[in-house]
Amino acid sequence: MAFDKMELREVEVWDGNHAAAQAMRQAQIDVVAAYPITPSTPIVEGYAKFLADGYIEGEFVMVESEHAAMSGCIGAAAAGGRVATATSSQGFALMVETLYQASGMRLPIVLNVVNRALASPLNVNGDHSDMYLGRDSGWIQFDAYSPQEAYDLNLIAFKVAEDHDIRLPAMVNQDGFLTSHTAQGLKPLSDDDAYAFVGEFKPMNDMLDFEHPVTHGVQTEEDWHFEHKARQHNDLMTKVLPKIKEVFVDFEKLSGRKYNLVEKYNMDDADVCVVCMGSSVETAREVASEMRENGIKAGVVGIRVLRPFPFFEIIEALKDVKAVAALDRSSPNGAAGTLFNEIAGALFNTDSKTLLSGYIYGLGGRDLTKKHLVDLFNELQANVDAGKVTTKLQQFIGVRGPKLAYL
Amino acid sequence: MSEIKKIKNLKEFSTSADRFEGANLLCPGCAHSIIVREVLNATNDDLVLSASTGCLEVCTAVYPYTSWDASWIHIGFENSSTAVAGAETMYKVLKKKGRLKQPERNPKFVSFAGDGASYDIGFQWISGCMERGHNMMHIVLDNEVYANTGGQRSSSTPIGSSATTSPAGRISYGEKRNKKDIVSIMAAHGIPYAAQVAPNKWKDMVKKIQHGFAVDGPVFINAVSPCTTEWKFDPKDTMHLADLATDSLVFPLYEIIDGHELNITYRPKNIIPVEEYLAAQGRFKHLFKDEYKYLIKEWQDRVDEKWAYLQRREEARV
């Protein structure tokens, strides 16, 4: 190996971006093609610096747009190597065309998405608009709540995506600024352990195998397109979640940190719970604990894997809860919130009598405070006591002006 | 450095490799396949190819078939150049890391795109690849129109041509804008090699392609590709049209080395009037009405002016 290893302390203080960059270094990414955008730029800057300091052997291509960044990643992945990049918000939106192409070509690329609001109005802070924008793109979507998880899930994402049975690209989402720029103590793996976990990249159908020429990115019409897309969907629905669970187990053996498709907190006897994603999960957990002291049996369900959507785990997690709030951190733009819809869809044919309501919060980086959550849990408890949803189904948290409530 | 392929004569050249099958869906008389074969046969080395969405791609890679007996990728409309640039970058890394399956090979990286995918929508991607210095070649199959989607104008469509989005009509002579000079723009990136080629001048073409493969860095090639369907001529006349294009100097053949040194590589013995080139195509039919005759003269003046300019630049050696 022609690169130097890094001596890491048992506990390092890294923000989410640096954590993702370190994971990319330890996985020894071959090619990164990237274009900078706030707040995810430090990830690829980190990779470039590691390259400049001799901690990686690879190539960093600074391209001229996010669309080209993913295009270059697709070309590099098809050539047969480990590829990753990072983006946010508008950059993610510009990438969307190529995201569909990457997953349709079954190329295991890892994309770090540092979640940020979509313009207009222009905003650099965190919400989940870009994560939801990519939810139909055929990518596996992980969600990290903290820098530690951003680091862990990056390593996990490579192992899942590059499996020859899966061969699908994966995104690792973390909240812009709230996670990406918040430094916390975290426990990294050693370089050797991390690389051994991710493993040597094993190419498949690579363009640089000249003895076996391949044609990537063909055209299919009504005679074949349906089968291709159905097979892709089938693999997402049947192969990916079991594989993720398997990798979670491997990772726990290595690090002692346990991950689940759906992260349950205080759910064993909960009457009320919120379902949410990103850094809010940690705030909600803290408030839920405090609510118990006030006699309200509160729990929290965090979505760890948004795509493929863990239907059965959601049904299982919510089966005994009396009132649930789905927290969406993106504008519903003329519908119910995304999580609300998916949870409602999952519960519809079950015996669940859960009272489901939806809350929109935190757009453009607006804080979700503990006070907001206390009120929310109290509202859910009022629903339980009344035996029906006492408010409108969709409400907005912390927006100024008259109270917004719909449906 | 790999061997430069020796080429004796046309017969031997045309059958010297078979990495692009005749089994494809291109129109009878399409020049794309001729150009592609001339490019692919110019080298014995392995190839990593890409194509932008367009005629070439939709006619040669329709599942479950492929016309390509070489590594080939298509992503989208804009990004064939970046796709190959990504593969070229990966090649460099794996070579350094000693992970290539056939380390002794010398692959060449080539992206193909139509004029729409190069002059218009893929312009930024190509510019980026040229600027970053990837060791690759981008080849434009320039038929001056979006042929795959049914004949809309592109920024390569010349003035007076009738395209579906700039049609000639009762009060219009069709396209109002002049053709973009993309070779100069790309050469201005300071790339080692940029050239215009034509399928009928195959020796000139092979020489340029081989030179492009031999230099280190990005190469830009603009190839005229007469389109029987959109230029509206008989499929058997493809090469005749290419001859008219080069011999009337509407499509002069030249090369630009290192962004400044220009060489004219073909001087027709008998320069034919531009009118003959225009008259051979249905897309210019309306220009022969009395009220538009002046456009033909303007055409001729513009072509003469460009030819004089190319010669001046060649003489100046700057």
Side-chain angles (χ1 to χ4, degrees):
Chain A
M1 287 295 196
F3 58 89
D4 294 330
K5 296 205 169 88
M6 241 183 205
E7 284 300 318
L8 300 176
R9 288 182 294 256
E10 193 189 344
V11 176
E12 291 276 356
V13 180
W14 291 343
D15 62 18
N17 278 334
H18 193 73
Q22 285 282 6
M24 280 162 79
R25 176 186 65 80
Q26 292 185 320
Q28 286 295 319
I29 313 290
D30 296 313
V31 172
V32 171
Y35 189 78
I37 184 165
T38 303
S40 61
T41 313
I43 296 177
V44 293
E45 282 173 339
Y47 179 88
K49 186 78 173 88
F50 291 138
L51 205 56
D53 290 340
Y55 292 112
I56 304 179
E57 208 174 12
E59 284 277 342
F60 178 64
V61 194
M62 179 69 214
V63 292
E64 79 293 335
S65 72
E66 284 91 354
H67 190 292
M70 190 43 70
S71 307
C73 285
I74 290 172
R82 186 164 287 156
V83 178
T85 186
T87 193
S88 299
S89 178
Q90 309 305 122
F92 185 91
L94 187 58
M95 252 187 209
V96 164
E97 185 200 10
T98 47
L99 295 178
Y100 280 74
Q101 288 154 344
S103 65
M105 289 154 98
R106 307 298 295 260
L107 296 170
I109 298 161
V110 171
L111 171 62
N112 272 283
V113 187
V114 179
N115 299 130
R116 171 188 146 185
L118 287 168
S120 188
L122 189 65
N123 174 303
V124 297
N125 279 289
D127 70 24
H128 295 164
S129 305
D130 48 6
M131 191 190 331
Y132 288 151
L133 178 62
R135 74 183 188 272
D136 297 344
S137 60
W139 285 56
I140 300 163
Q141 288 184 300
F142 293 98
D143 189 34
Y145 315 149
S146 67
Q148 175 78 67
E149 294 176 0
Y151 169 83
D152 293 348
L153 288 170
N154 260 284
L155 298 174
I156 287 164
F158 284 109
K159 203 167 167 69
V160 173
E162 290 171 3
D163 185 90
H164 278 194
D165 217 23
I166 308 276
R167 288 182 303 120
L168 282 163
M171 293 175 200
V172 179
N173 293 279
Q174 55 174 301
D175 278 0
F177 289 110
L178 296 168
T179 307
S180 70
H181 285 64
T182 304
Q184 290 182 346
L186 60 81
K187 293 181 172 165
L189 301 173
S190 73
D191 285 8
D192 289 333
D193 284 353
Y195 190 73
F197 172 76
V198 176
E200 183 93 1
F201 182 86
K202 294 186 185 61
M204 185 170 178
N205 301 333
D206 46 322
M207 291 207 294
L208 297 178
D209 181 359
F210 301 111
E211 291 302 309
H212 306 94
V214 279
T215 294
H216 280 277
V218 292
Q219 180 171 9
T220 54
E221 288 307 332
E222 69 281 14
D223 52 355
W224 279 108
H225 193 80
F226 204 167
E227 281 76 14
H228 276 274
K229 293 322 260 188
R231 171 60 61 88
Q232 191 183 329
H233 178 68
N234 175 67
D235 288 0
L236 271 161
M237 293 301 274
T238 60
K239 292 180 180 174
V240 173
L241 292 181
K243 179 73 195 174
I244 291 176
K245 280 191 208 164
E246 186 188 308
V247 176
F248 279 171
V249 171
D250 293 349
F251 192 77
E252 191 189 356
K253 281 180 198 152
L254 181 68
S255 68
R257 292 187 286 275
K258 186 167 172 48
Y259 287 98
N260 303 289
L261 300 177
V262 165
E263 303 287 4
K264 295 188 286 190
Y265 180 83
N266 277 358
M267 288 299 293
D268 289 343
D269 60 342
D271 288 334
V272 295
C273 90
V274 296
V275 185
C276 54
M277 292 196 289
S279 51
S280 318
V281 176
E282 299 200 320
T283 316
R285 284 173 181 172
E286 194 166 320
V287 176
S289 295
E290 290 169 13
M291 295 308 285
R292 295 219 163 218
E293 291 159 24
N294 306 336
I296 292 181
K297 291 183 177 171
V300 179
V301 170
I303 307 276
R304 176 65 70 204
V305 180
L306 179 67
R307 284 289 181 274
F309 193 69
F311 285 90
F312 301 110
E313 286 76 8
I314 288 283
I315 292 167
E316 200 281 324
L318 302 180
K319 67 179 188 303
D320 300 326
V321 189
K322 292 171 183 154
V324 177
L327 268 58
D328 274 294
R329 197 166 196 161
S330 81
S331 170
N333 279 332
T338 305
L339 266 187
F340 176 91
N341 277 339
E342 306 218 331
I343 291 163
L347 297 179
F348 188 77
N349 269 348
T350 64
D351 301 333
S352 166
K353 295 281 184 289
T354 302
L355 301 164
L356 178 63
S357 48
Y359 289 81
I360 308 299
Y361 78 99
L363 301 196
R366 178 68 55 85
D367 284 338
L368 180 73
T369 63
K370 287 169 72 174
K371 168 96 179 59
H372 288 145
L373 285 156
V374 170
D375 294 349
L376 201 156
F377 278 120
N378 284 329
E379 216 159 78
L380 291 178
Q381 188 59 46
N383 291 350
V384 174
D385 296 343
K388 63 176 203 285
V389 178
T390 55
T391 57
K392 295 271 194 182
L393 280 185
Q394 182 178 73
Q395 299 183 72
F396 281 59
I397 301 175
V399 72
R400 282 166 301 185
K403 184 176 162 73
L404 296 182
Y406 307 97
L407 303 175
Chain B
M1 201 56 222
S2 43
E3 289 280 298
I4 290 192
K5 184 172 173 178
K6 301 271 187 295
I7 284 155
K8 292 196 204 71
N9 56 49
L10 182 55
K11 187 166 189 232
E12 186 259 356
F13 171 59
S14 64
T15 54
S16 64
D18 202 11
R19 292 187 281 198
F20 180 72
E21 295 290 341
N24 58 56
L25 303 174
L26 290 160
C27 298
C30 176
H32 280 9
S33 50
I34 305 167
I35 295 165
V36 170
R37 282 181 77 89
E38 285 177 14
V39 172
L40 268 50
N41 287 16
T43 178
N44 286 330
D45 285 327
D46 291 296
L47 291 158
V48 176
L49 307 165
S50 76
S52 279
T53 311
C55 291
L56 183 69
E57 175 263 330
V58 304
C59 295
T60 59
V62 182
Y63 186 85
Y65 306 107
T66 180
S67 308
W68 302 91
D69 197 4
S71 298
W72 183 91
I73 186 169
H74 155 253
I75 306 177
F77 203 171
E78 325 79 338
N79 46 13
S80 61
S81 53
T82 318
V84 146
E88 182 261 356
T89 308
M90 185 57 81
Y91 171 75
K92 275 197 303 203
V93 174
L94 297 186
K95 191 170 182 169
K96 216 163 35 184
K97 288 186 167 182
R99 276 177 27 206
L100 289 170
K101 289 177 180 168
Q102 299 102 12
E104 72 291 347
R105 309 285 183 97
N106 266 304
K108 303 285 181 271
F109 295 85
V110 185
S111 53
F112 290 100
D115 54 283
S118 303
Y119 285 61
D120 294 346
I121 193 170
F123 188 71
Q124 167 190 313
W125 284 254
I126 299 167
S127 173
C129 289
M130 298 292 129
E131 170 272 322
R132 290 192 300 271
H134 295 286
N135 198 4
M136 61 175 280
M137 182 185 288
H138 183 82
I139 297 177
V140 186
L141 302 161
D142 184 4
N143 53 18
E144 302 186 331
V145 73
Y146 285 93
N148 181 43
T149 45
Q152 296 78 21
R153 64 87 61 182
S154 77
S155 56
S156 168
T157 305
I159 190 166
S161 167
S162 179
T164 59
T165 49
S166 58
R170 279 191 311 133
I171 54 165
S172 170
Y173 55 77
E175 177 58 37
K176 300 279 185 298
R177 308 291 310 161
N178 229 324
K179 182 180 169 120
K180 194 193 237 176
D181 180 2
I182 199 163
V183 179
S184 297
I185 298 170
M186 289 303 161
H189 287 72
I191 57 175
Y193 196 66
Q196 288 217 124
V197 298
N200 52 326
K201 301 294 167 206
W202 65 273
K203 278 184 184 158
D204 173 80
M205 178 138 155
V206 168
K207 217 162 112 184
K208 285 172 177 168
I209 300 292
Q210 290 187 336
H211 181 86
F213 282 148
V215 297
D216 197 14
V219 172
F220 184 86
I221 304 280
N222 195 43
V224 66
S225 182
C227 174
T228 155
T229 312
E230 298 303 336
W231 293 16
K232 299 184 175 59
F233 58 82
D234 197 88
K236 70 178 182 348
D237 292 338
T238 307
M239 283 320 203
H240 174 58
L241 257 293
D243 283 337
L244 289 176
T246 50
D247 291 0
S248 64
L249 299 174
V250 167
F251 205 91
L253 301 186
Y254 60 93
E255 61 189 15
I256 302 176
I257 295 168
D258 294 334
H260 60 87
E261 186 189 322
L262 188 143
N263 303 313
I264 294 170
T265 58
Y266 172 66
R267 287 184 167 70
K269 284 195 187 67
N270 307 309
I271 299 178
I272 59 167
V274 172
E275 189 169 351
E276 261 183 66
Y277 168 75
L278 300 177
Q281 304 167 55
R283 61 176 174 156
F284 294 118
K285 186 168 81 220
H286 52 281
L287 297 187
F288 292 85
K289 291 179 186 163
D290 285 344
E291 66 264 39
Y292 295 140
K293 280 276 167 61
Y294 73 95
L295 280 167
I296 297 178
K297 184 177 177 316
E298 274 181 23
W299 253 96
Q300 185 66 59
D301 291 347
R302 204 170 36 250
V303 169
D304 291 348
E305 208 175 297
K306 172 90 186 193
W307 183 238
Y309 163 79
L310 290 174
Q311 296 189 90
R312 279 204 307 279
R313 258 195 76 174
E314 187 182 41
E315 278 163 33
R317 312 303 302 148
V318 288

